Amino acid sequence: MAKIISTLFISADGVAEIDPAWHFPYFDENMGRAVGEDYDTADVLLIGRETYDSFAGAWPGREAAGGDDATFAKQLGDMRKVVVSRQPLEFSWRNSELVKGDLLDAASSLKADAGIRGILIPGSISVVQQLLAAGLVDELRLLVHPVAARKGRRLFDDGDAPYHLKVTATEVFPTGVIRVIYSPTATPAKVGYDEVKDQVPEGK
């Protein structure tokens, strides 16, 4: 079964709606490598309309321009792009299609498709939030910037139950960016203070 992987640039205070002013000063060759590794896991992009509009407005032109980022732009263009939108869209970027029916049903069908190697969700906060709530996200790949953005949409919205996560990999870049890969895990057993008081540091 194909994995659904969310990849996000995020601030130290949890803002995943990036502002170029705090994002690009930390983009270096290490972050570029990490982004490339994330995209190499997948052959399908599952994205919201705003992310699609942003990508489609930039990457085809970059591919045509033939600059330093043209190879990556071509990789994006060649990938299948499944777009979540409540309104019909006219697609200008090749290999783009609209989600048919319910998002959760569509995501489950993509995961079960034997012909799909992996599904990547870049950005698209609302899509990620819905799939997290439904237990359909297999990995969260976060590039945590050493900045408190203080405004913007956060990845984790308010809800009744916490999401418990297991760290599967971490890496610290010279810029201070931390790459952390999480996967969902089971809720731990209930523990109170009496069970951990023997771990309290001894006074001096």
Side-chain angles (χ1 to χ4, degrees):
M1 182 170 285
K3 284 185 177 181
I4 291 182
I5 295 174
S6 164
T7 178
L8 290 158
F9 304 121
I10 192 167
S11 68
D13 58 341
V15 173
E17 180 182 0
I18 65 168
D19 181 338
W22 61 253
H23 167 56
F24 283 117
Y26 297 101
F27 201 106
D28 65 353
E29 66 275 12
N30 297 288
M31 191 179 291
R33 168 183 53 79
V35 169
E37 290 172 359
D38 291 346
Y39 277 85
D40 287 344
T41 65
D43 45 9
V44 174
L45 296 183
L46 178 60
I47 50 180
R49 182 189 56 78
E50 290 184 8
T51 300
Y52 176 82
D53 287 345
S54 175
F55 279 26
W59 289 110
R62 292 169 181 164
E63 180 180 355
D68 292 340
D69 53 2
T71 300
F72 182 62
K74 182 181 184 303
Q75 179 181 350
L76 294 183
D78 289 343
M79 294 179 76
R80 179 183 174 192
K81 291 166 283 291
V82 181
V83 184
V84 182
S85 175
R86 293 186 178 90
Q87 300 175 349
L89 296 175
E90 292 187 10
F91 294 111
S92 59
W93 199 12
R94 68 184 184 275
N95 299 323
S96 300
E97 64 191 74
L98 192 66
V99 161
K100 295 179 176 64
D102 178 74
L103 169 60
L104 303 185
D105 291 340
S108 298
S109 295
L110 289 171
K111 284 172 65 74
D113 189 332
I116 293 176
R117 180 167 53 89
I119 303 127
L120 189 70
I121 310 173
S124 307
I125 300 169
S126 63
V127 174
V128 175
Q129 289 174 339
Q130 291 177 70
L131 297 183
L132 273 173
L136 290 173
V137 174
D138 297 288
E139 286 186 4
L140 283 172
R141 297 190 172 202
L142 306 181
L143 288 160
V144 185
H145 295 49
V147 57
R150 303 185 66 197
K151 63 179 179 179
R153 292 183 64 195
R154 286 170 166 76
L155 169 59
F156 299 110
D157 53 358
D158 290 340
D160 295 329
Y163 295 126
H164 293 277
L165 305 169
K166 175 176 65 177
V167 176
T168 60
T170 59
E171 184 179 4
V172 180
F173 301 155
T175 57
V177 169
I178 301 172
R179 185 190 192 194
V180 57
I181 300 177
Y182 292 107
S183 60
T185 191
T187 301
K190 289 185 177 181
V191 175
Y193 179 74
D194 286 342
E195 285 78 30
V196 300
K197 63 185 179 182
D198 59 329
Q199 305 298 322
V200 172
E202 297 180 2
K204 292 183 181 179

